[in-house]
């Protein structure tokens, strides 16, 4: 909602104000640039905060997924260790593409074997991620879809926020994201209060 509101005010207020500055024939090009940046600079803290919110929401989805509990391996279970060793032998020699193709039909035993020591079966990061996703679904039915929906929503917010920031930068004649970030950081040098407010909002949600 904050992103939507900022988009609205950029279009309805800030864009009009900048347009008025650019139409002012009494100002030099440098003067127009300075006044335009003064106008958007007054909104810098809002842009910083919304960028923080989008980034932290995306991070929180991944943190939630990483924190999902899977069945733990009992270190003293020799029978289980033997079974995983047999499963490892059956998986050995398969390519990552083959492993990913088999994961959806794998039992928790084989998934645990991959997650326990991916290097022993030659599983790369993508294969481990697919295995963990399926293991989460088996341990928590329906959770995978819920997490994916949250991830999609967070990605959408990030993309919308990036588009909004690009518009903001264009109004200030800032040529790229590096220049925009430098401008924002110069306008709001101490951002600790914004970060704390974002964490409070995230925790409340």
């Amino acid at each position: 909602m904050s992103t939507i509101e900022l988009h609205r005010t950029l279009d309805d207020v800030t864009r009009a104000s900048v347009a008025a500055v650019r139409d002012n024939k009494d100002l030099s090009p440098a003067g127009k640039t300075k006044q335009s940046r003064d106008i958007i600079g007054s909104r810098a803290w809002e842009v910083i905060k919304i960028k923080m919110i989008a980034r932290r929401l995306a991070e929180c989805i991944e943190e939630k997924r990483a924190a999902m509990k899977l069945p733990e391996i009992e270190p003293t279970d020799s029978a289980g260790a033997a079974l995983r060793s047999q499963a490892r032998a059956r998986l050995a020699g398969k390519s990552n593409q083959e492993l990913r193709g088999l994961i959806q039909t794998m039992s928790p035993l084989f998934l645990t074997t991959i997650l326990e020591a991916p290097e022993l079966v030659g599983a790369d990061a993508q294969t481990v991620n697919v295995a963990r996703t399926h293991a989460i679904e088996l341990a928590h039915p329906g959770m995978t879809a819920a997490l994916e929906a949250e991830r999609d929503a967070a990605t959408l917010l990030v993309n919308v926020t990036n588009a909004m920031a690009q518009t903001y930068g264009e109004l200030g004649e800032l040529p790229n994201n590096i220049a925009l970030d430098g401008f924002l950081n110069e306008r709001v040098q101490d951002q600790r209060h914004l970060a704390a407010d974002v964490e409070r909002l995230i925790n409340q949600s």
Side-chain angles (χ1 to χ4, degrees), residues 161-172:
T161 300
N162 288 339
M164 176 275 300
Q166 182 178 352
T167 299
Y168 179 91
E170 289 171 354
L171 291 175

Side-chain angles (χ1 to χ4, degrees), residues 151-176:
R151 178 184 283 170
D152 288 344
T155 299
L156 178 60
L157 179 61
V158 168
N159 292 339
V160 169
T161 300
N162 288 339
M164 176 275 300
Q166 182 178 352
T167 299
Y168 179 91
E170 289 171 354
L171 291 175
E173 300 177 25
L174 299 167
N176 51 48

